[in-house]
Each structure stands twice: as C-alpha cells, then as structure tokens.
Amino acid sequence: MMTFIAGAMIVPIPSAAGGGVPEVISHLNGTVVPDIFTTKFFFAKFFSCAIAVASGVFMGPEGPMIALGATVGRAVSGMSNSPLRIKLPFFLRLRNPKDRRDFVAAGAGAGVASAFGSPIGGLLFSMEEVSSFWSHMMTWQTLFCCMLAAFTTNVLKAWDEGELGQMGGFIFRATTTDLHYNVLLCVPAMILGVIGGLLGPLFSICNLKLLKLRGKYFKSPWHRVAEVVLIAFITSAFVIFSPSLFNCRPCDVQDGNPTTCFENDSDTQRYTCQANEEYNDMASLTLSSGHNTLLRLFARESYKELTLFSLGLMLVFYFPMAVWTAGTIMSGGIVIPMLMIGALYGRMLGLIMVFLFGPTPSGAIDWMDPGLLALIGSASFFGGVSRLTVSLTMIMVELSSDVQLLVPLVITIIIAKNLADRFTAPVYHGLIEAKCIPFLGHHPKHHSFKSLDLYPVEALICNQKLVTMEDCESVKNVIAKLRSCRHNKFPLVERGTLCFIGSVRRDTIVLLLLREVFEEKAIPVGKKRRPWDHDEPGVFFEDQIATNSRQEKHVNWEQLLTEKGHLFLNLRPYMDRSAATIMTTFSVSRTYDLFRTMGYRHIFVLNKRGEPVGVVTKRDLMDYSVMNALVNAQPRA
C-alpha cells in the first residue's frame, strides 16, 4: 500500500520520479529541464521519497535530498516564487541566471551535507559532480551553506533522540573503533577496487537497460505504479521468509550477562529464536532499515556476528533488486543501495581473510577487520557507479571519522573509477543520455576526427534555415515568423543593412503582442520607447515574462492579424545587446569550450559583413550531431 501511494503521487508530476540528480546536473549545465524546481515538484518528491523509504524497498533518501536542496536554493534565489505568490523586493539583484545557478549548486551541496553529515563532502560533490561552472567565491559560500545544513541536521537529530544541545548526532555516522592499521591494508583495498570497477558498470548497464524497457512496454504511468507494488511484494517476501533458512546463533556472554553482538542491541533481530541470548543474523540484515543495516556492516571488532552465507545470500538478492528498484516511478535514490552492495562484498572479503589468516593471539584482527573492509567496499562500489573521486573520499572519511583510512580509500576509489571508465559512462550521465537531455561533458568525445580545432563552426550550420527579426517589424510579419518555427530566441537585425544588433526572446515578443505595444508606423533607427516606467525596468520586465511565458497558446492569432496586422512592433528597447556571437571561421572545439565554460544555450554565427547566418545550440554540439555534420566536411589546412 505504501509503495502504491508513493508511486501514485508521482503520476501527475512525472518529473519528480527517481532521485532527481540527473535533472539538477543538466540544469546546472545550462539545459532548461521542464517541470522541475516547482512547488508541486518539491512536495511530490518529498512525500513520495519519505513513503518509499519507509516502505522498506531498497531505496535511499540521499538522491531526493540533493534535488530538494537544489529546489530550495532555486526558490530562495531572489525570494520569488510564483506558485506561492511570494515576491520580496530585497533580493531583486539576485534574480538573474547566474545567481540562481549558484543557489541551486549550493542547495545540492547542502543536500549531501545533510544526508551524510559531511559539509566538506557536500562542497566537493557540488564542485565535482553537479556544477559545470565554478568560481572562487562560490567555494566559501557553498561551504558555509553545507556547514549550516549539517549543523541543522545535527541539532534536529539530537532533539529527536532527546539530547538537545548535544553534538555528534548525525543521521549517518559509522561505528568507529581504534585499530592498528598495516600497510598490507592496501592489498584488500586494491582487490575491492577491482570488484567495484567491475560490478559498478554492471549496475549502471542493467539500470539503463531496464529504463529503456520501461519506456518501450509501459505505455501508462499506472503500469509503473503496478511495477513498484510487485517490487514491494517480492522484497517483503524475501526479508520476511529468508531468515527461516538460518539457525539461531548465540550472543557473546560477558561476566555472566548476555550481550548483543552489535553495538546497538535494539536492532538485533531474534526472529523466531526463543532464548534471550540468541539472535538470527539474516533477520538482523533484512528486518532493519537500510541505515541501521549499514551501521551493522560497518561495525568494528564484530567478525563473528554475520556469517559468510547470510552476507552472500543478501548480496545475491539485493543487487538485482536494487537495480530494478532504482529506475521506478517512486522518488528515491541509489546511494544507500550502492553503499549496501559494497559493504556486503567488502565484509565478505574481510571474513575470508580472517578465515585464512586468523586473528592475532590476543584475539585482535586490526587491519583485516570485516567492518573496516565493508567501509572500503562501499567506497569502491560507489566510485565504480558514480566515478566520484575527491568528494567520495571526503564523504567516506567524514562518515567514518577516521583520517587514517585516507590512503586505502583513495587507492580503491581510483582503481574502481579507472576500471569502470573502460566499460560505460557514470550512472548519472548515462541517465541524462537515456532521458535525451542535451549535456556537454568536460571534453568532446568525437574520436573519429583528428582534431575539432581544424573544423570551422560553419560546418555545423550549413543546413540551417535561420529566422531573423528586424528591429521594427510589422505585426503581420512577426506573427508569421512566430508561427513558422518554435525557436526560443531570434537574432535581431537592423532594417536595410541586415547587420546583427542583438537578440530577442520569444517570450518577450509574445508578451509585447499580448500587451499590444504597437506603433502606428516604423520607428527610425535609434529612437527608443518603453511602455512601462519602473525603477528597475529590467527586473520588472523579467517578472512579467515569467508570468506570461506559457500564454502563447491562448493568443488569438487570426484576430490579432485582422485588427493589428498593419501596425509595427519596435523590438529595440527589449533586445539583448550582449548576445554571444562568433564568426563562421571559429573552430568547433573552441565553440564547445564556450558552451561548457560560459553556460550558453545558443550562440549566433555571423559572416564577414556582420550578418547572422546561423545559430549554434547545445544540441548541435552533441556527439551524434557533430559526427553527422562533419562527416563530409573538409578540415582547414
């Protein structure tokens, strides 16, 4: 029932499905992803994630927390929210694309900091994975935001535990015990890195294959809701009945008092065991929450408590179910499943090493502790799936509160990343491609050509049919051009010379038509007129565009043509005079760098006479577009 509710909540708002991290990454890359960062998106993702995680399916809240943090950052920017009718005049200067992008990046980092209690890890995650553009000022601003998020989570967690005022109550904190490390720890770290580098791409490939199958066979969103109900049924059957395959195990006894085998005895499951001194190790894995199960796997000096068979059975079932659950309609993340899978095979390796080499005469196992290797295993699988390096290392160090693990963590993460890169792209980038969202990576991947520096951008626009607007155009011509294409921005040319003088947004033209800001005759070049008088005309006009951006479908074009077609529309006062332009001789490689570093959505291409001859968009720089455009092009000498 809970999974049905979690899935049904997403049916009217499909953009809230999944973790939401690919959409945040695409937004910060300069792509406008529809129906995200809205009030409906926020509440649908929040409640769907809470219900899905509470239902016990193999999902985590970390991915949605990143998307929710980005949504809050987007709303806070400029303190303007149309659905809630919130418009505070104190933050007008922040209502621009750059500051909004910075707030979204800071919000995403705050989500990571809140999920793991890792403020530095949240900063590095935002810098390494989420953001495409970064500045020095953003570093301390995002760090401050992440610190506040982690501190607030800490305080609320302490209040929930009845220890208000106490520090250290993070939502996620691995059990720590002082161990004597050995340089030989690097050997199992390398082995775990290889395992993570092989299983990570397998996880990503299977996840993307299932995503394509859903798009092919699930024609209705209710089919996907039925899918999550089936997943919940299978998961519940396993977690309830699989412990019956295992016998009860006795707990350790110290000073005549029965003690549990784990640090927190409230999570040790007796299942059907009758004696107070016995427990079921499989039930302790399946009947606890994902967070508590991870803490159990990370527990140090507890190598006798979980058997190799129970860990193996859990891994064999958990891996395919996590792959299946990851792409469902429910709002949920894959971070907890990634940590869980790595912790399972990491602890298994630790048990094998203890079995082969045994503890020391004093009973200590130190560097081959299964809990220690479970933590390193989580980092290896996380790195193999996401390809994070610096941020993942810092997150795992802050999570374990053990700086001595820095070297083995770096070793296993680097091996897992480099090995996984040979098979497939990172999972988030794979999801972006599967959802057909234009995204530009750090470097172009056009391996069929020797160098993109040798090809002019003219080759990308040779088959384009450019639609231009004159600075003062008749309403009849403006409407004809709007109805002939779906372009979101038009190059503005000067009457007579046809030279490029700026650009104008489609939303701006539609708003001017709705307000009937017309002229009786064509205005001479250089004369300007604004229909509104306002202290901040630019900001005021942006708000008006945001309010009316979706009203084009309500415009009565025929009536407008009949009554106002003979009038003129002066676009000069509303044009963007700083529109990005390049020459036809500009190289494709440098054009790619401009889009990647500056966050452009389009750049106009001019000829030697200053006339616009084409426009380059992000889609024109995608791999398949460049391959098709340059297949017959000749490189420059």
Side-chain angles (χ1 to χ4, degrees):
M1 179 59 70
M2 296 182 70
T3 54
F4 175 81
I5 297 174
M9 294 180 65
I10 305 298
V11 171
I13 312 170
S15 60
V21 178
E23 287 77 8
V24 175
I25 296 174
S26 302
H27 175 82
L28 293 178
N29 192 253
T31 303
V32 176
V33 183
D35 300 325
I36 64 170
F37 303 149
T38 63
T39 306
K40 294 180 180 179
F41 172 87
F42 178 87
F43 286 108
K45 182 167 284 293
F46 178 85
F47 288 108
S48 177
C49 174
I51 296 173
V53 174
S55 68
V57 295
F58 299 154
M59 304 183 86
E62 288 74 18
M65 289 180 70
I66 296 172
L68 292 175
T71 304
V72 172
R74 177 65 175 79
V76 170
S77 173
M79 290 294 180
S80 176
N81 189 311
S82 296
L84 297 180
R85 301 296 189 268
I86 299 175
K87 290 184 179 180
L88 299 182
F90 312 108
F91 300 90
L92 292 179
R93 73 176 189 87
L94 298 179
R95 295 180 194 172
N96 60 80
K98 178 186 178 301
D99 288 320
R100 286 171 177 167
R101 186 174 66 222
D102 294 347
F103 272 84
V104 170
V112 175
S114 178
F116 295 101
S118 173
I120 300 178
L123 165 66
L124 295 176
F125 179 85
S126 180
M127 182 187 303
E128 180 181 4
E129 179 67 11
V130 176
S131 300
S132 296
F133 329 103
W134 197 260
S135 64
H136 293 291
M137 183 176 294
M138 276 188 64
T139 302
W140 70 265
Q141 292 174 340
T142 305
L143 178 60
F144 182 74
C145 178
C146 293
M147 290 180 63
L148 285 181
F151 175 78
T152 304
T153 305
N154 191 1
V155 172
L156 293 178
K157 179 64 175 177
W159 175 74
D160 181 62
E161 296 175 349
E163 300 177 353
L164 185 61
Q166 298 294 324
M167 301 297 293
F170 286 112
I171 281 182
F172 211 113
R173 184 63 63 195
T175 303
T176 59
T177 302
D178 292 334
L179 296 175
H180 300 285
Y181 296 120
N182 191 298
V183 70
L184 293 176
L185 180 60
C186 296
V187 176
M190 294 178 185
I191 297 174
L192 292 174
V194 173
I195 298 174
L198 295 176
L199 291 183
L202 179 62
F203 183 93
S204 301
I205 292 173
C206 295
N207 192 4
L208 296 176
K209 292 291 184 182
L210 282 175
L211 187 64
K212 293 180 180 179
L213 290 176
R214 289 188 184 97
K216 182 177 181 181
Y217 294 106
F218 290 177
K219 304 303 181 182
S220 169
W222 294 106
H223 293 164
R224 301 190 65 182
V225 175
E227 179 193 19
V228 301
V229 174
L230 176 62
I231 290 174
F233 176 79
I234 297 175
T235 304
S236 300
F238 175 80
V239 301
I240 292 174
F241 296 109
S242 61
S244 62
L245 302 175
F246 295 80
N247 297 323
C248 296
R249 293 171 57 84
C251 291
D252 293 337
V253 178
Q254 297 178 0
D255 301 327
N257 297 319
T259 61
T260 61
C261 312
F262 310 110
E263 196 166 317
N264 187 359
D265 59 356
S266 62
D267 294 321
T268 304
Q269 302 293 333
R270 293 174 56 191
Y271 196 57
T272 58
C273 301
Q274 300 299 322
N276 292 331
E277 299 84 5
E278 293 181 340
Y279 72 99
N280 188 300
D281 60 328
M282 188 64 183
S284 299
L285 287 175
T286 59
L287 297 179
S288 299
S289 65
H291 169 262
N292 292 333
T293 302
L294 275 174
L295 293 182
R296 178 170 297 110
L297 293 172
F298 292 158
R300 308 284 176 86
E301 297 182 351
S302 59
Y303 66 94
K304 296 180 180 180
E305 313 309 332
L306 296 173
T307 63
L308 196 62
F309 181 44
S310 63
L311 293 171
L313 180 61
M314 184 69 173
L315 177 62
V316 170
F317 179 81
Y318 197 98
F319 186 92
M321 289 303 297
V323 172
W324 188 9
T325 309
T328 55
I329 193 173
M330 294 184 297
S331 177
I334 61 175
V335 175
I336 287 290
M338 287 191 294
L339 294 175
M340 184 76 73
I341 293 171
L344 286 171
Y345 69 69
R347 194 170 183 94
M348 290 176 64
L349 178 62
L351 289 178
I352 293 174
M353 294 185 63
V354 171
F355 175 78
L356 293 177
F357 304 106
T360 61
S362 61
I365 51 177
D366 290 341
W367 60 271
M368 68 178 73
D369 188 286
L372 174 64
L373 295 183
L375 186 69
I376 299 176
S378 293
S380 70
F381 190 75
F382 201 153
V385 175
S386 66
R387 316 301 157 76
L388 298 177
T389 52
V390 180
S391 59
L392 177 57
T393 302
M394 184 53 61
I395 289 174
M396 300 307 293
V397 169
E398 290 184 296
L399 185 148
S400 63
S401 300
D402 195 345
V403 182
Q404 297 182 78
L405 282 179
L406 186 61
V407 173
L409 284 174
V410 169
I411 290 175
T412 192
I413 291 172
I414 292 298
I415 292 177
K417 178 192 181 305
N418 285 277
L419 183 58
D421 282 337
R422 299 179 177 272
F423 297 99
T424 184
V427 63
Y428 293 136
H429 293 191
L431 291 173
I432 290 173
E433 183 177 353
K435 295 179 180 180
C436 300
I437 301 176
F439 180 83
L440 300 181
H442 292 284
H443 305 286
K445 301 179 180 179
H446 316 297
H447 304 295
S448 301
F449 304 98
K450 294 181 179 180
S451 175
L452 293 181
D453 282 319
L454 301 178
Y455 294 87
V457 72
E458 183 180 23
L460 300 180
I461 61 171
C462 57
N463 297 323
Q464 280 189 4
K465 183 180 179 181
L466 186 64
V467 179
T468 61
M469 293 280 183
E470 292 186 353
D471 54 353
C472 191
E473 185 121 33
S474 67
V475 174
K476 178 181 179 181
N477 290 342
V478 169
I479 294 177
K481 291 178 180 181
L482 288 178
R483 299 176 73 177
S484 67
C485 65
R486 298 301 304 168
H487 299 168
N488 290 318
K489 207 166 191 179
F490 297 91
L492 203 63
V493 298
E494 189 175 26
R495 280 192 333 277
T497 63
L498 299 181
C499 291
F500 180 85
I501 57 175
S503 64
V504 61
R505 290 171 52 177
R506 186 186 191 94
D507 292 338
T508 304
I509 299 176
V510 172
L511 180 58
L512 293 174
L513 292 175
L514 288 172
R515 294 295 183 90
E516 298 186 0
V517 187
F518 303 138
E519 305 290 342
E520 294 290 340
K521 57 182 180 180
I523 296 180
V525 176
K527 186 175 181 180
K528 305 175 184 179
R529 174 182 172 186
R530 287 188 181 277
W532 299 294
D533 185 17
H534 194 273
D535 293 337
E536 295 286 345
V539 175
F540 175 77
F541 195 60
E542 285 290 328
D543 289 345
Q544 297 297 319
I545 291 175
T547 305
N548 295 274
S549 59
R550 296 188 179 183
Q551 294 189 11
E552 181 177 348
K553 60 182 179 181
H554 302 300
V555 177
N556 191 335
W557 298 113
E558 300 301 332
Q559 180 180 356
L560 200 59
L561 277 173
T562 304
E563 299 179 358
K564 308 292 183 180
H566 63 285
L567 300 178
F568 291 86
L569 188 62
N570 181 21
L571 297 175
R572 269 185 174 263
Y574 316 104
M575 68 178 179
D576 179 9
R577 299 177 181 273
S578 59
T581 60
I582 55 177
M583 301 296 292
T584 54
T585 56
F586 209 75
S587 71
V588 175
S589 177
R590 295 188 179 183
T591 305
Y592 187 97
D593 292 338
L594 278 178
F595 272 87
R596 187 65 177 77
T597 56
M598 301 299 293
Y600 291 134
R601 293 182 59 195
H602 34 247
I603 297 180
F604 297 103
V605 183
L606 310 181
N607 60 17
K608 294 180 180 179
R609 296 184 297 274
E611 302 170 349
V613 294
V615 57
V616 180
T617 65
K618 291 182 65 175
R619 195 175 294 277
D620 295 322
L621 295 173
M622 300 294 289
D623 291 343
Y624 59 87
S625 299
V626 174
M627 295 283 285
N628 294 334
L630 302 187
V631 64
N632 296 321
Q634 295 297 325
R636 294 179 294 195

